[in-house]
C-alpha cells in the first residue's frame, strides 16, 4: 500500500490547531481526535478503526494519555503513525495554546515529517518530553527554543537532518535529564555551559560534526549514566573529570574522533562502567592497568589507536590485569602496537567472554594452551601478529567458536583435527603461514 501523503502545510499547523481545540473549553475532544485520524496513514488507521470510536472514552484510545482529576489529555503519542509533510513556521500561536497547562508530552517520532522545526512548538510551557526523532526535519534549531520550557526533562531529536549549533538557551533547561541529538549534522564546539545540566542522565551527541575539546565542565553532570560523543571530530585529551566526578556513569562512548594523548588512569574511578569504547582515535600511551579494576565492565573496545602495553612481561601485562573482571564479554584491542606476549593467565579471563580480538598488535611468543578455558568464546581473532609455535589443540574445546583468525603469523606444525569438529564454526583464517600442515589423522 502506498504512503498516504499529508497535505504539505497541514502537519504542524493542524497539530497545533488540534491541540488548541482539545483544550478549548467548548470543544468536543473526541471530534478533534477523529479529525486528526483522517491525516494518519491508512496502515495506522486500520489499527485505530475499532479503537478510536465514540463508543469508548478518548482516554482509552491508542496514543492518547490522560491524567489528573478530572481526566484530561496530557500526552499525545503519534509515533510510527505515518505522519507526512512539513513542519513550517506557523506564525501567531493560536490563542488557546496560552491556556494549555496539562500537556506534558509530544511524541511525533518515526514519521516522515520534513521542513524546519517551528519555534511555536516550544511555546507549550508545560511540556516535559518532546520527541521528534526519526523524521526528516532539517534546518537550525530555533535560537530561543528552550526559553519557555522550564519543565523540559527529555528532548529527542536524533536521526533527522538538523544542522548548525546547539542553541545556548538549551543549557538553561536545568531539569533536563535526557538530551539526544545523534545522527544529525550539528557543528561547532560542545559548549562549556553543558555543565549547567546537572540533572542530565543520558547524553547522546554521536554522529554529528562537533569539533574542539570535550569541556571539563562535563564533570558537573554527576548524574550522567550514558555519554555518547562517538563519530565526531573532537580532539585533545579526555578530561580527567570524567573519571573523577561521574560516579554513576555506565556507558562511555568516544570512538571515531581525533582524541589523543593518554587515557587517564582516573577513568577507573567510574566504577560502575559497563561499556567503554575509545576505538578509532589517536591515543598513544601505555594502556592504564587501572582499567582492570572496572569490575562491572562488560564491553571494552580500545581498537585502532597507538596504545602500548605497560609491561613486556606477559604475566604483568594489561591483558593479565583484565583477569580480575568476571563480567567481561568483549575485549577489542586490535590495531594497537602492544608489542607483548600473551600471558598464560589469558585462560583466567571471564568465562562469559565471547569476543577476544587482538589482530595487528605486534604480539609475539606462542598462543597459550589456556585459551581453551574460555568456553563462551564466539570470536577469537589473533591475526597479523608475530606469533610462533603451534596452534593449541585446546582451541578445539571451544564449542561455541564461530570465527577463528590466526592468519599472518609464524605458526607451524599441524592444524589440529579438533578444529574440524567445531560445529558452529563458519569463519576460519589460517593463510600466510607456510609452515602449517594439514591436520594429522585422528
Amino acid at each position: 500500500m502506498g504512503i498516504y501523503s499529508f497535505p504539505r502545510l497541514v502537519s504542524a499547523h493542524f497539530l497545533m490547531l488540534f491541540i488548541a481545540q482539545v483544550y478549548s473549553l467548548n470543544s468536543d475532544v473526541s471530534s478533534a481526535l477523529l479529525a486528526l485520524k483522517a491525516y494518519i496513514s491508512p496502515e495506522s488507521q486500520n489499527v485505530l478503526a475499532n479503537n478510536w470510536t465514540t463508543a469508548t472514552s478518548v482516554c482509552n484510545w491508542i496514543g492518547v494519555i490522560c491524567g489528573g482529576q478530572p481526566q484530561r489529555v496530557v500526552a499525545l503519542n503519534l509515533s510510527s503513525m505515518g505522519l507526512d509533510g512539513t513542519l513550517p513556521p506557523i506564525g501567531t500561536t493560536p490563542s488557546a495554546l496560552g491556556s494549555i497547562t496539562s500537556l506534558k508530552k509530544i511524541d511525533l517520532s518515526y514519521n516522515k515529517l520534513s521542513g524546519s522545526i517551528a519555534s511555536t512548538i516550544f511555546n507549550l510551557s508545560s511540556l516535559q518530553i518532546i520527541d521528534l526523532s526519526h523524521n526528516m526535519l532539517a534546518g537550525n534549531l530555533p535560537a530561543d527554543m528552550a526559553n519557555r520550557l522550564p519543565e523540559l526533562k527529555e528532548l529527542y531529536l536524533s536521526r533527522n537532518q538538523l544542522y548548525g549549533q546547539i542553541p545556548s538557551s538549551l543549557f538553561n533547561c536545568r531539569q533536563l535529564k535526557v538530551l539526544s541529538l545523534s545522527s544529525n549534522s550539528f557543528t561547532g564546539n560542545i559548549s562549556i555551559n553543558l555543565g549547567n545540566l546537572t540533572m542530565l542522565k543520558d547524553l547522546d551527541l554521536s554522529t554529528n560534526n562537533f569539533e574542539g575539546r570535550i569541556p571539563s565542565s562535563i564533570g558537573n553532570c554527576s548524574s550522567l549514566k550514558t555519554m555518547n560523543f562517538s563519530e565526531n571530530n573532537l580532539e585533545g585529551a579526555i578530561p580527567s573529570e570524567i573519571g573523577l566526578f561521574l560516579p554513576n556513569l555506565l556507558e562511555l562512548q568516544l570512538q571515531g574522533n581525533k582524541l589523543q594523548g593518554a587515557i587517564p588512569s582516573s577513568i577507573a574511578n567510574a566504577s560502575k562502567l559497563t561499556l567503554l569504547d575509545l576505538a578509532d582515535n589517536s591515543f598513544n600511551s601505555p594502556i592504564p592497568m587501572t582499567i582492570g579494576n572496572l569490575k562491572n565492565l562488560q564491553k571494552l573496545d580500545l581498537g585502532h589507536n597507538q596504545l602500548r602495553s605497560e609491561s613486556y612481561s606477559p604475566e604483568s601485562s594489561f591483558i593479565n590485569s583484565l583477569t580480575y573482571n568476571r563480567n567481561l564479554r568483549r575485549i577489542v584491542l586490535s590495531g594497537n602496537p602492544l608489542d607483548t606476549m600473551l600471558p598464560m593467565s589469558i585462560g583466567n579471563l571471564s568465562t562469559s567472554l565471547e569476543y577476544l580480538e587482538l589482530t595487528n598488535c605486534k604480539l609475539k611468543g606462542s598462543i597459550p594452551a589456556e585459551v581453551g578455558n574460555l568456553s563462551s568464546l564466539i570470536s577469537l581473532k589473533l591475526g597479523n601478529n608475530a606469533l610462533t609455535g603451534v596452534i593449541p589443540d585446546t582451541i578445539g574445546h571451544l564449542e561455541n567458536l564461530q570465527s577463528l583468525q590466526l592468519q599472518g603469523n609464524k605458526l607451524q606444525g599441524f592444524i589440529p583435527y579438533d578444529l574440524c569438529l567445531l560445529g558452529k564454526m563458519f569463519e576460519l583464517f589460517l593463510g600466510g603461514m607456510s609452515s602449517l600442515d594439514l591436520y594429522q589423522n585422528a
Side-chain angles (χ1 to χ4, degrees), residues 183-370:
S183 299
N184 283 285
S185 298
F186 289 114
T187 56
N189 293 348
I190 299 175
S191 173
I192 191 173
N193 293 324
L194 180 65
N196 294 342
L197 306 179
T198 57
M199 299 182 69
L200 204 59
K201 292 186 177 181
D202 297 297
L203 174 60
D204 190 351
L205 304 183
S206 63
T207 318
N208 281 285
N209 297 310
F210 291 113
E211 56 190 13
R213 294 175 174 267
I214 300 173
S216 59
S217 62
I218 192 71
N220 295 339
C221 305
S222 58
S223 298
L224 266 181
K225 292 185 176 182
T226 65
M227 175 179 166
N228 191 346
F229 289 170
S230 63
E231 306 300 332
N232 280 286
N233 297 307
L234 299 173
E235 57 188 15
I238 297 177
S240 59
E241 285 82 358
I242 289 179
L244 295 174
F245 304 120
L246 302 181
N248 298 299
L249 198 61
L250 299 177
E251 298 183 5
L252 177 60
Q253 298 184 69
L254 301 178
Q255 70 271 24
N257 282 284
K258 301 175 182 178
L259 299 170
Q260 54 193 328
I263 299 173
S265 59
S266 61
I267 207 163
N269 290 354
S271 58
K272 295 182 181 179
L273 271 178
T274 61
L275 169 61
L276 177 60
D277 193 338
L278 307 180
D280 298 296
N281 280 287
S282 298
F283 296 114
N284 56 3
S285 65
I287 305 174
M289 301 284 279
T290 53
I291 290 179
N293 297 331
L294 296 171
K295 301 299 194 301
N296 295 301
L297 200 61
Q298 297 179 24
K299 297 180 181 179
L300 173 65
D301 192 341
L302 305 179
H304 303 286
N305 285 282
Q306 293 299 314
L307 295 166
R308 307 183 301 278
S309 178
E310 278 192 346
S311 172
Y312 289 102
S313 170
E315 297 308 326
S316 59
S317 68
F318 172 70
I319 297 173
N320 183 65
S321 74
L322 298 177
T323 60
Y324 301 102
N325 182 310
R326 311 316 304 164
N327 295 299
L328 273 169
R329 294 172 49 200
R330 185 183 189 96
I331 300 173
V332 180
L333 301 176
S334 297
N336 286 290
L338 299 182
D339 193 20
T340 189
M341 299 172 66
L342 293 174
M344 289 188 293
S345 60
I346 196 171
N348 296 330
L349 289 170
S350 169
T351 54
S352 300
L353 192 65
E354 297 177 343
Y355 298 88
L356 180 58
E357 302 184 6
L358 295 162
T359 60
N360 195 25
C361 287
K362 294 187 177 181
L363 296 177
K364 51 195 176 184
S366 60
I367 301 174
E370 288 79 4

Side-chain angles (χ1 to χ4, degrees), residues 114-133:
S114 58
S116 60
I117 300 177
S119 60
T120 46
I121 199 172
F122 302 110
N123 286 345
L124 308 174
S125 60
S126 58
L127 278 177
Q128 296 181 6
I129 301 174
I130 299 175
D131 192 346
L132 302 176
S133 61

Side-chain angles (χ1 to χ4, degrees), residues 33-53:
L33 287 167
L34 290 173
L36 178 63
K37 178 181 173 183
Y39 295 97
I40 293 173
S41 70
E43 292 89 345
S44 296
Q45 283 195 36
N46 292 336
V47 176
L48 303 180
N50 297 318
N51 183 263
W52 280 31
T53 71

Side-chain angles (χ1 to χ4, degrees), residues 66-218:
C66 295
Q69 292 294 333
Q71 289 272 289
R72 301 184 71 187
V73 176
V74 296
L76 300 174
N77 184 350
L78 306 180
S79 61
S80 303
M81 288 195 177
L83 294 174
D84 194 7
T86 62
L87 280 174
I90 299 171
T92 303
T93 306
S95 58
L97 289 179
S99 64
I100 295 178
T101 58
S102 300
L103 194 67
K104 299 182 185 300
K105 176 179 179 180
I106 291 180
D107 187 346
L108 300 175
S109 61
Y110 292 92
N111 286 293
K112 300 181 183 299
L113 299 172
S114 58
S116 60
I117 300 177
S119 60
T120 46
I121 199 172
F122 302 110
N123 286 345
L124 308 174
S125 60
S126 58
L127 278 177
Q128 296 181 6
I129 301 174
I130 299 175
D131 192 346
L132 302 176
S133 61
H134 295 263
N135 280 289
M136 297 181 290
L137 299 170
N140 292 278
L141 294 178
D144 62 345
M145 62 174 285
N147 288 342
R148 295 174 298 279
L149 295 172
E151 304 295 325
L152 188 64
K153 292 181 171 62
E154 301 177 20
L155 178 62
Y156 303 91
L157 299 176
S158 62
R159 295 191 179 276
N160 280 287
Q161 300 165 17
L162 301 167
Y163 51 81
Q165 299 187 356
I166 301 176
S168 58
S169 62
L170 188 59
F171 302 113
N172 295 325
C173 296
R174 303 299 180 99
Q175 296 194 52
L176 200 63
K177 294 182 178 180
V178 178
L179 178 59
S180 179
L181 305 180
S182 65
S183 299
N184 283 285
S185 298
F186 289 114
T187 56
N189 293 348
I190 299 175
S191 173
I192 191 173
N193 293 324
L194 180 65
N196 294 342
L197 306 179
T198 57
M199 299 182 69
L200 204 59
K201 292 186 177 181
D202 297 297
L203 174 60
D204 190 351
L205 304 183
S206 63
T207 318
N208 281 285
N209 297 310
F210 291 113
E211 56 190 13
R213 294 175 174 267
I214 300 173
S216 59
S217 62
I218 192 71

